[in-house]
Amino acid sequence: MSEVRNNEERSQFELDVDGHVARAEYALEGDVVVFTHTVVPQALQGQGIGSRLIAGALAQVRAAGRSVDPQCSFVARYLAQHPEWQDLRA
């Protein structure tokens, strides 16, 4: 499986799986990554792809020294369930 990549031109993190692309869209406000929408193609749903996508995106946010504002309900739920990422909240 591929790695999560930050497509800065489209303002989204992407994960390619089996010919499909899951994405987490964001807006950058200074040093805060505001997650606005997460899309996992129907063919990939129920396989943990969304969680892999968000974990990879959060790792890149942390590495860049940024914080997050989870406006997307999926990202907000993921953060609530994974205390290891709480330090990234703006």
Side-chain angles (χ1 to χ4, degrees):
M1 289 195 167
S2 63
E3 297 294 318
V4 174
R5 70 179 172 277
N6 183 2
N7 184 335
E8 294 181 27
E9 186 174 295
R10 291 189 172 176
S11 297
Q12 62 188 25
F13 289 94
E14 301 170 340
L15 179 61
D16 295 315
V17 180
D18 297 333
H20 301 278
V21 179
R23 67 184 190 276
E25 300 169 1
Y26 67 86
L28 192 56
E29 296 181 2
D31 282 335
V32 178
V33 177
V34 180
F35 283 97
T36 57
H37 190 56
T38 301
V39 177
V40 176
Q42 189 165 352
L44 302 177
Q45 292 179 4
Q47 301 176 44
I49 301 302
S51 293
R52 276 191 47 218
L53 170 64
I54 299 308
L58 292 175
Q60 291 183 44
V61 169
R62 178 177 280 153
R66 294 185 166 141
S67 57
V68 299
D69 179 4
Q71 295 297 312
C72 166
S73 60
F74 184 85
V75 177
R77 237 180 353 267
Y78 184 89
L79 283 170
Q81 296 170 354
H82 294 87
E84 66 272 23
W85 298 109
Q86 292 304 311
D87 62 302
L88 294 179
R89 281 188 176 269

Short mmCIF file of all heavy atoms in Angstrom, two decimals, residues 26-87:
data_model
loop_
_atom_site.label_atom_id
_atom_site.label_comp_id
_atom_site.label_asym_id
_atom_site.label_seq_id
_atom_site.Cartn_x
_atom_site.Cartn_y
_atom_site.Cartn_z
N TYR A 26 -8.12 20.24 3.36
CA TYR A 26 -7.79 21.17 4.43
C TYR A 26 -7.59 22.57 3.91
O TYR A 26 -7.44 22.80 2.71
CB TYR A 26 -6.53 20.70 5.18
CG TYR A 26 -5.26 20.75 4.35
CD1 TYR A 26 -4.50 21.93 4.24
CD2 TYR A 26 -4.80 19.63 3.67
CE1 TYR A 26 -3.34 21.97 3.49
CE2 TYR A 26 -3.64 19.67 2.90
CZ TYR A 26 -2.91 20.84 2.82
OH TYR A 26 -1.76 20.89 2.07
N ALA A 27 -7.60 23.52 4.85
CA ALA A 27 -7.21 24.90 4.58
C ALA A 27 -6.08 25.20 5.54
O ALA A 27 -6.10 24.75 6.69
CB ALA A 27 -8.39 25.84 4.82
N LEU A 28 -5.10 25.92 5.09
CA LEU A 28 -3.96 26.28 5.93
C LEU A 28 -4.17 27.72 6.41
O LEU A 28 -4.30 28.64 5.60
CB LEU A 28 -2.66 26.15 5.15
CG LEU A 28 -1.37 26.20 5.93
CD1 LEU A 28 -1.34 25.14 7.03
CD2 LEU A 28 -0.19 26.02 5.00
N GLU A 29 -4.25 27.88 7.72
CA GLU A 29 -4.41 29.20 8.32
C GLU A 29 -3.22 29.44 9.23
O GLU A 29 -3.23 29.02 10.39
CB GLU A 29 -5.73 29.28 9.08
CG GLU A 29 -6.95 29.14 8.19
CD GLU A 29 -8.27 29.23 8.92
OE1 GLU A 29 -8.28 29.44 10.15
OE2 GLU A 29 -9.31 29.06 8.26
N GLY A 30 -2.19 30.06 8.68
CA GLY A 30 -0.95 30.24 9.43
C GLY A 30 -0.31 28.87 9.66
O GLY A 30 -0.06 28.14 8.71
N ASP A 31 -0.10 28.53 10.92
CA ASP A 31 0.47 27.22 11.25
C ASP A 31 -0.59 26.21 11.67
O ASP A 31 -0.28 25.18 12.27
CB ASP A 31 1.50 27.37 12.39
CG ASP A 31 2.82 27.92 11.87
OD1 ASP A 31 3.11 27.75 10.67
OD2 ASP A 31 3.56 28.53 12.67
N VAL A 32 -1.85 26.51 11.36
CA VAL A 32 -2.95 25.61 11.71
C VAL A 32 -3.51 24.97 10.44
O VAL A 32 -3.88 25.66 9.49
CB VAL A 32 -4.08 26.36 12.46
CG1 VAL A 32 -5.23 25.41 12.79
CG2 VAL A 32 -3.53 27.01 13.73
N VAL A 33 -3.57 23.64 10.44
CA VAL A 33 -4.18 22.89 9.35
C VAL A 33 -5.64 22.65 9.74
O VAL A 33 -5.92 21.94 10.71
CB VAL A 33 -3.45 21.55 9.11
CG1 VAL A 33 -4.15 20.76 8.01
CG2 VAL A 33 -1.99 21.79 8.77
N VAL A 34 -6.55 23.29 9.01
CA VAL A 34 -7.98 23.16 9.30
C VAL A 34 -8.54 22.06 8.38
O VAL A 34 -8.68 22.27 7.17
CB VAL A 34 -8.72 24.49 9.05
CG1 VAL A 34 -10.21 24.34 9.36
CG2 VAL A 34 -8.10 25.61 9.87
N PHE A 35 -8.81 20.89 8.96
CA PHE A 35 -9.37 19.79 8.16
C PHE A 35 -10.85 20.08 7.93
O PHE A 35 -11.61 20.30 8.87
CB PHE A 35 -9.20 18.45 8.88
CG PHE A 35 -7.80 17.92 8.79
CD1 PHE A 35 -6.90 18.12 9.82
CD2 PHE A 35 -7.38 17.22 7.67
CE1 PHE A 35 -5.60 17.64 9.74
CE2 PHE A 35 -6.09 16.74 7.58
CZ PHE A 35 -5.20 16.95 8.61
N THR A 36 -11.26 20.11 6.66
CA THR A 36 -12.62 20.51 6.30
C THR A 36 -13.49 19.36 5.81
O THR A 36 -14.71 19.40 5.96
CB THR A 36 -12.58 21.60 5.22
OG1 THR A 36 -11.85 21.12 4.09
CG2 THR A 36 -11.93 22.87 5.76
N HIS A 37 -12.88 18.33 5.23
CA HIS A 37 -13.69 17.26 4.64
C HIS A 37 -12.80 16.05 4.38
O HIS A 37 -11.66 16.20 3.94
CB HIS A 37 -14.30 17.76 3.33
CG HIS A 37 -15.33 16.87 2.73
ND1 HIS A 37 -16.46 16.45 3.40
CD2 HIS A 37 -15.42 16.29 1.51
CE1 HIS A 37 -17.19 15.68 2.62
NE2 HIS A 37 -16.57 15.57 1.46
N THR A 38 -13.32 14.87 4.65
CA THR A 38 -12.61 13.62 4.37
C THR A 38 -13.49 12.77 3.46
O THR A 38 -14.69 12.63 3.71
CB THR A 38 -12.30 12.85 5.67
OG1 THR A 38 -11.50 13.67 6.51
CG2 THR A 38 -11.55 11.55 5.38
N VAL A 39 -12.88 12.24 2.40
CA VAL A 39 -13.61 11.40 1.45
C VAL A 39 -12.88 10.08 1.28
O VAL A 39 -11.70 10.05 0.93
CB VAL A 39 -13.72 12.09 0.07
CG1 VAL A 39 -14.41 11.18 -0.93
CG2 VAL A 39 -14.44 13.42 0.19
N VAL A 40 -13.60 8.99 1.55
CA VAL A 40 -13.09 7.64 1.28
C VAL A 40 -14.04 7.02 0.25
O VAL A 40 -15.23 6.89 0.53
CB VAL A 40 -13.04 6.79 2.57
CG1 VAL A 40 -12.61 5.36 2.25
CG2 VAL A 40 -12.11 7.41 3.60
N PRO A 41 -13.52 6.68 -0.92
CA PRO A 41 -14.39 6.09 -1.94
C PRO A 41 -15.14 4.87 -1.39
O PRO A 41 -14.61 4.12 -0.58
CB PRO A 41 -13.42 5.67 -3.05
CG PRO A 41 -12.26 6.60 -2.88
CD PRO A 41 -12.14 6.80 -1.39
N GLN A 42 -16.36 4.70 -1.85
CA GLN A 42 -17.21 3.63 -1.36
C GLN A 42 -16.53 2.27 -1.44
O GLN A 42 -16.68 1.44 -0.54
CB GLN A 42 -18.54 3.61 -2.12
CG GLN A 42 -19.54 2.66 -1.50
CD GLN A 42 -20.95 2.91 -2.01
OE1 GLN A 42 -21.21 3.88 -2.70
NE2 GLN A 42 -21.86 2.03 -1.64
N ALA A 43 -15.77 2.03 -2.49
CA ALA A 43 -15.09 0.74 -2.66
C ALA A 43 -14.09 0.45 -1.54
O ALA A 43 -13.71 -0.69 -1.33
CB ALA A 43 -14.39 0.69 -4.01
N LEU A 44 -13.65 1.50 -0.84
CA LEU A 44 -12.63 1.34 0.21
C LEU A 44 -13.20 1.44 1.62
O LEU A 44 -12.47 1.23 2.59
CB LEU A 44 -11.54 2.41 0.04
CG LEU A 44 -10.80 2.45 -1.29
CD1 LEU A 44 -9.82 3.60 -1.31
CD2 LEU A 44 -10.10 1.12 -1.54
N GLN A 45 -14.47 1.77 1.74
CA GLN A 45 -15.05 1.97 3.06
C GLN A 45 -15.07 0.69 3.88
O GLN A 45 -15.17 -0.41 3.34
CB GLN A 45 -16.45 2.56 2.94
CG GLN A 45 -16.39 3.98 2.40
CD GLN A 45 -17.76 4.63 2.24
OE1 GLN A 45 -18.77 4.06 2.58
NE2 GLN A 45 -17.76 5.83 1.70
N GLY A 46 -14.92 0.86 5.19
CA GLY A 46 -14.95 -0.29 6.10
C GLY A 46 -13.64 -1.04 6.21
O GLY A 46 -13.60 -2.11 6.81
N GLN A 47 -12.56 -0.50 5.65
CA GLN A 47 -11.27 -1.18 5.65
C GLN A 47 -10.22 -0.43 6.48
O GLN A 47 -9.04 -0.76 6.45
CB GLN A 47 -10.75 -1.33 4.21
CG GLN A 47 -11.67 -2.11 3.30
CD GLN A 47 -11.15 -2.14 1.87
OE1 GLN A 47 -9.97 -2.34 1.63
NE2 GLN A 47 -12.03 -1.92 0.92
N GLY A 48 -10.63 0.62 7.18
CA GLY A 48 -9.69 1.39 7.97
C GLY A 48 -8.86 2.37 7.16
O GLY A 48 -7.88 2.92 7.66
N ILE A 49 -9.24 2.60 5.92
CA ILE A 49 -8.48 3.50 5.04
C ILE A 49 -8.54 4.93 5.54
O ILE A 49 -7.53 5.65 5.55
CB ILE A 49 -8.99 3.41 3.58
CG1 ILE A 49 -8.87 1.98 3.04
CG2 ILE A 49 -8.25 4.41 2.68
CD1 ILE A 49 -7.49 1.39 3.05
N GLY A 50 -9.71 5.38 5.99
CA GLY A 50 -9.84 6.73 6.51
C GLY A 50 -8.93 6.95 7.71
O GLY A 50 -8.28 7.99 7.83
N SER A 51 -8.86 5.97 8.59
CA SER A 51 -7.99 6.08 9.76
C SER A 51 -6.52 6.12 9.36
O SER A 51 -5.74 6.90 9.92
CB SER A 51 -8.24 4.91 10.72
OG SER A 51 -9.55 5.02 11.27
N ARG A 52 -6.14 5.30 8.39
CA ARG A 52 -4.75 5.33 7.89
C ARG A 52 -4.42 6.68 7.28
O ARG A 52 -3.33 7.24 7.49
CB ARG A 52 -4.52 4.25 6.83
CG ARG A 52 -4.22 2.90 7.42
CD ARG A 52 -3.74 1.89 6.39
NE ARG A 52 -2.72 2.42 5.50
CZ ARG A 52 -2.64 2.13 4.21
NH1 ARG A 52 -3.50 1.34 3.64
NH2 ARG A 52 -1.69 2.64 3.47
N LEU A 53 -5.38 7.22 6.52
CA LEU A 53 -5.20 8.52 5.89
C LEU A 53 -4.98 9.61 6.95
O LEU A 53 -4.02 10.39 6.87
CB LEU A 53 -6.42 8.85 5.04
CG LEU A 53 -6.53 10.27 4.48
CD1 LEU A 53 -5.40 10.56 3.52
CD2 LEU A 53 -7.88 10.45 3.81
N ILE A 54 -5.83 9.64 7.95
CA ILE A 54 -5.74 10.69 8.96
C ILE A 54 -4.50 10.52 9.82
O ILE A 54 -3.81 11.50 10.14
CB ILE A 54 -7.02 10.74 9.82
CG1 ILE A 54 -8.24 11.06 8.94
CG2 ILE A 54 -6.88 11.76 10.95
CD1 ILE A 54 -8.10 12.29 8.06
N ALA A 55 -4.15 9.30 10.18
CA ALA A 55 -2.92 9.07 10.96
C ALA A 55 -1.70 9.57 10.19
O ALA A 55 -0.82 10.24 10.75
CB ALA A 55 -2.77 7.60 11.31
N GLY A 56 -1.65 9.28 8.90
CA GLY A 56 -0.54 9.74 8.07
C GLY A 56 -0.52 11.24 7.93
O GLY A 56 0.54 11.87 7.96
N ALA A 57 -1.69 11.84 7.79
CA ALA A 57 -1.77 13.30 7.67
C ALA A 57 -1.33 13.96 8.97
O ALA A 57 -0.56 14.92 8.97
CB ALA A 57 -3.21 13.72 7.32
N LEU A 58 -1.80 13.43 10.10
CA LEU A 58 -1.43 14.02 11.39
C LEU A 58 0.06 13.89 11.66
O LEU A 58 0.68 14.80 12.23
CB LEU A 58 -2.24 13.36 12.52
CG LEU A 58 -3.74 13.66 12.50
CD1 LEU A 58 -4.45 12.87 13.58
CD2 LEU A 58 -4.03 15.15 12.64
N ALA A 59 0.65 12.79 11.23
CA ALA A 59 2.10 12.62 11.40
C ALA A 59 2.85 13.71 10.63
O ALA A 59 3.85 14.25 11.12
CB ALA A 59 2.53 11.23 10.94
N GLN A 60 2.36 14.03 9.44
CA GLN A 60 3.01 15.08 8.65
C GLN A 60 2.79 16.46 9.26
O GLN A 60 3.68 17.31 9.23
CB GLN A 60 2.51 15.04 7.20
CG GLN A 60 2.99 13.79 6.47
CD GLN A 60 2.57 13.77 5.02
OE1 GLN A 60 2.67 14.77 4.33
NE2 GLN A 60 2.11 12.62 4.56
N VAL A 61 1.61 16.67 9.82
CA VAL A 61 1.33 17.94 10.50
C VAL A 61 2.28 18.11 11.68
O VAL A 61 2.88 19.16 11.87
CB VAL A 61 -0.15 18.00 10.96
CG1 VAL A 61 -0.38 19.18 11.90
CG2 VAL A 61 -1.08 18.07 9.77
N ARG A 62 2.43 17.05 12.47
CA ARG A 62 3.32 17.10 13.63
C ARG A 62 4.77 17.36 13.19
O ARG A 62 5.48 18.18 13.76
CB ARG A 62 3.24 15.80 14.43
CG ARG A 62 4.19 15.79 15.63
CD ARG A 62 4.05 14.54 16.45
NE ARG A 62 2.89 14.67 17.33
CZ ARG A 62 2.19 13.66 17.78
NH1 ARG A 62 2.50 12.42 17.44
NH2 ARG A 62 1.16 13.86 18.58
N ALA A 63 5.22 16.66 12.14
CA ALA A 63 6.59 16.81 11.66
C ALA A 63 6.86 18.24 11.18
O ALA A 63 7.98 18.72 11.27
CB ALA A 63 6.87 15.81 10.54
N ALA A 64 5.81 18.91 10.69
CA ALA A 64 5.96 20.28 10.20
C ALA A 64 5.83 21.31 11.33
O ALA A 64 5.95 22.51 11.08
CB ALA A 64 4.91 20.56 9.12
N GLY A 65 5.55 20.84 12.55
CA GLY A 65 5.43 21.75 13.68
C GLY A 65 4.14 22.55 13.67
O GLY A 65 4.05 23.62 14.26
N ARG A 66 3.11 22.01 13.02
CA ARG A 66 1.83 22.69 12.92
C ARG A 66 0.82 22.07 13.89
O ARG A 66 1.07 21.03 14.48
CB ARG A 66 1.30 22.63 11.50
CG ARG A 66 2.16 23.41 10.53
CD ARG A 66 1.56 23.44 9.15
NE ARG A 66 2.24 24.46 8.36
CZ ARG A 66 2.53 24.32 7.09
NH1 ARG A 66 2.21 23.21 6.45
NH2 ARG A 66 3.14 25.28 6.43
N SER A 67 -0.33 22.70 14.00
CA SER A 67 -1.42 22.16 14.81
C SER A 67 -2.64 21.97 13.92
O SER A 67 -2.61 22.35 12.74
CB SER A 67 -1.73 23.10 15.99
OG SER A 67 -2.06 24.39 15.53
N VAL A 68 -3.70 21.39 14.47
CA VAL A 68 -4.89 21.10 13.66
C VAL A 68 -6.15 21.68 14.30
O VAL A 68 -6.26 21.80 15.51
CB VAL A 68 -5.09 19.58 13.45
CG1 VAL A 68 -3.93 18.96 12.71
CG2 VAL A 68 -5.34 18.85 14.74
N ASP A 69 -7.08 22.00 13.42
CA ASP A 69 -8.43 22.39 13.80
C ASP A 69 -9.34 21.42 13.05
O ASP A 69 -9.51 21.55 11.83
CB ASP A 69 -8.70 23.85 13.39
CG ASP A 69 -10.11 24.29 13.73
OD1 ASP A 69 -10.88 23.52 14.34
OD2 ASP A 69 -10.45 25.43 13.36
N PRO A 70 -9.90 20.43 13.74
CA PRO A 70 -10.70 19.40 13.07
C PRO A 70 -12.14 19.82 12.81
O PRO A 70 -13.06 19.45 13.54
CB PRO A 70 -10.63 18.24 14.06
CG PRO A 70 -10.54 18.90 15.39
CD PRO A 70 -9.74 20.16 15.17
N GLN A 71 -12.36 20.60 11.77
CA GLN A 71 -13.73 20.99 11.40
C GLN A 71 -14.49 19.82 10.76
O GLN A 71 -15.71 19.78 10.81
CB GLN A 71 -13.70 22.18 10.44
CG GLN A 71 -13.13 23.43 11.05
CD GLN A 71 -13.97 23.95 12.21
OE1 GLN A 71 -15.19 24.05 12.10
NE2 GLN A 71 -13.32 24.26 13.32
N CYS A 72 -13.77 18.88 10.19
CA CYS A 72 -14.37 17.67 9.61
C CYS A 72 -14.74 16.72 10.74
O CYS A 72 -13.92 16.45 11.63
CB CYS A 72 -13.36 17.02 8.67
SG CYS A 72 -13.77 15.34 8.17
N SER A 73 -15.96 16.21 10.73
CA SER A 73 -16.43 15.33 11.81
C SER A 73 -15.61 14.04 11.89
O SER A 73 -15.38 13.53 12.99
CB SER A 73 -17.91 15.01 11.64
OG SER A 73 -18.15 14.35 10.41
N PHE A 74 -15.15 13.52 10.78
CA PHE A 74 -14.35 12.29 10.81
C PHE A 74 -13.03 12.52 11.54
O PHE A 74 -12.61 11.73 12.38
CB PHE A 74 -14.09 11.75 9.39
CG PHE A 74 -13.36 10.44 9.39
CD1 PHE A 74 -14.04 9.24 9.53
CD2 PHE A 74 -11.97 10.40 9.29
CE1 PHE A 74 -13.36 8.03 9.55
CE2 PHE A 74 -11.29 9.19 9.31
CZ PHE A 74 -11.99 8.00 9.44
N VAL A 75 -12.37 13.63 11.22
CA VAL A 75 -11.10 13.96 11.87
C VAL A 75 -11.33 14.24 13.35
O VAL A 75 -10.55 13.79 14.20
CB VAL A 75 -10.40 15.15 11.17
CG1 VAL A 75 -9.12 15.52 11.90
CG2 VAL A 75 -10.11 14.81 9.71
N ALA A 76 -12.39 14.94 13.69
CA ALA A 76 -12.70 15.22 15.09
C ALA A 76 -12.92 13.93 15.87
O ALA A 76 -12.41 13.76 16.98
CB ALA A 76 -13.93 16.12 15.18
N ARG A 77 -13.66 12.98 15.28
CA ARG A 77 -13.90 11.68 15.92
C ARG A 77 -12.59 10.91 16.07
O ARG A 77 -12.34 10.29 17.11
CB ARG A 77 -14.89 10.88 15.07
CG ARG A 77 -16.12 10.46 15.81
CD ARG A 77 -17.14 9.64 15.00
NE ARG A 77 -16.94 9.47 13.58
CZ ARG A 77 -17.47 10.25 12.64
NH1 ARG A 77 -18.21 11.28 12.97
NH2 ARG A 77 -17.27 10.00 11.37
N TYR A 78 -11.75 10.95 15.04
CA TYR A 78 -10.47 10.24 15.10
C TYR A 78 -9.62 10.79 16.24
O TYR A 78 -9.05 10.04 17.03
CB TYR A 78 -9.73 10.37 13.77
CG TYR A 78 -8.45 9.58 13.74
CD1 TYR A 78 -8.45 8.25 13.33
CD2 TYR A 78 -7.25 10.13 14.15
CE1 TYR A 78 -7.28 7.51 13.33
CE2 TYR A 78 -6.08 9.40 14.17
CZ TYR A 78 -6.11 8.08 13.75
OH TYR A 78 -4.94 7.35 13.78
N LEU A 79 -9.55 12.12 16.36
CA LEU A 79 -8.77 12.73 17.43
C LEU A 79 -9.32 12.35 18.80
O LEU A 79 -8.56 12.09 19.73
CB LEU A 79 -8.74 14.24 17.27
CG LEU A 79 -7.81 14.79 16.20
CD1 LEU A 79 -8.05 16.27 15.99
CD2 LEU A 79 -6.35 14.53 16.56
N ALA A 80 -10.64 12.31 18.93
CA ALA A 80 -11.26 11.96 20.21
C ALA A 80 -10.92 10.52 20.62
O ALA A 80 -10.79 10.22 21.80
CB ALA A 80 -12.77 12.14 20.12
N GLN A 81 -10.75 9.65 19.64
CA GLN A 81 -10.48 8.24 19.90
C GLN A 81 -9.00 7.92 20.01
O GLN A 81 -8.63 6.80 20.36
CB GLN A 81 -11.11 7.37 18.81
CG GLN A 81 -12.62 7.45 18.78
CD GLN A 81 -13.21 6.79 17.54
OE1 GLN A 81 -12.51 6.36 16.64
NE2 GLN A 81 -14.53 6.73 17.50
N HIS A 82 -8.12 8.87 19.70
CA HIS A 82 -6.68 8.63 19.69
C HIS A 82 -5.96 9.72 20.47
O HIS A 82 -5.52 10.73 19.90
CB HIS A 82 -6.16 8.56 18.25
CG HIS A 82 -6.68 7.38 17.50
ND1 HIS A 82 -7.88 7.41 16.82
CD2 HIS A 82 -6.19 6.13 17.35
CE1 HIS A 82 -8.09 6.22 16.28
NE2 HIS A 82 -7.09 5.43 16.59
N PRO A 83 -5.83 9.53 21.77
CA PRO A 83 -5.24 10.57 22.63
C PRO A 83 -3.79 10.91 22.28
O PRO A 83 -3.31 11.99 22.63
CB PRO A 83 -5.34 9.98 24.04
CG PRO A 83 -5.59 8.52 23.86
CD PRO A 83 -6.26 8.36 22.53
N GLU A 84 -3.11 10.04 21.56
CA GLU A 84 -1.71 10.32 21.19
C GLU A 84 -1.57 11.51 20.25
O GLU A 84 -0.47 12.03 20.05
CB GLU A 84 -1.05 9.08 20.57
CG GLU A 84 -1.61 8.63 19.22
CD GLU A 84 -2.78 7.67 19.29
OE1 GLU A 84 -3.49 7.62 20.30
OE2 GLU A 84 -3.01 6.96 18.29
N TRP A 85 -2.70 11.98 19.69
CA TRP A 85 -2.66 13.13 18.77
C TRP A 85 -3.21 14.40 19.40
O TRP A 85 -3.25 15.44 18.75
CB TRP A 85 -3.46 12.81 17.50
CG TRP A 85 -2.93 11.66 16.71
CD1 TRP A 85 -3.50 10.44 16.58
CD2 TRP A 85 -1.72 11.61 15.95
NE1 TRP A 85 -2.72 9.64 15.78
CE2 TRP A 85 -1.61 10.33 15.38
CE3 TRP A 85 -0.71 12.52 15.70
CZ2 TRP A 85 -0.56 9.94 14.56
CZ3 TRP A 85 0.35 12.14 14.88
CH2 TRP A 85 0.41 10.86 14.34
N GLN A 86 -3.65 14.36 20.64
CA GLN A 86 -4.30 15.50 21.28
C GLN A 86 -3.42 16.75 21.31
O GLN A 86 -3.92 17.87 21.28
CB GLN A 86 -4.75 15.15 22.70
CG GLN A 86 -5.88 14.14 22.74
CD GLN A 86 -7.10 14.58 21.95
OE1 GLN A 86 -7.58 15.70 22.10
NE2 GLN A 86 -7.62 13.71 21.10
N ASP A 87 -2.11 16.56 21.39
CA ASP A 87 -1.21 17.72 21.45
C ASP A 87 -1.24 18.57 20.18
O ASP A 87 -0.75 19.69 20.17
CB ASP A 87 0.23 17.26 21.73
CG ASP A 87 0.77 16.36 20.63
OD1 ASP A 87 0.15 15.30 20.36
OD2 ASP A 87 1.82 16.69 20.05
#
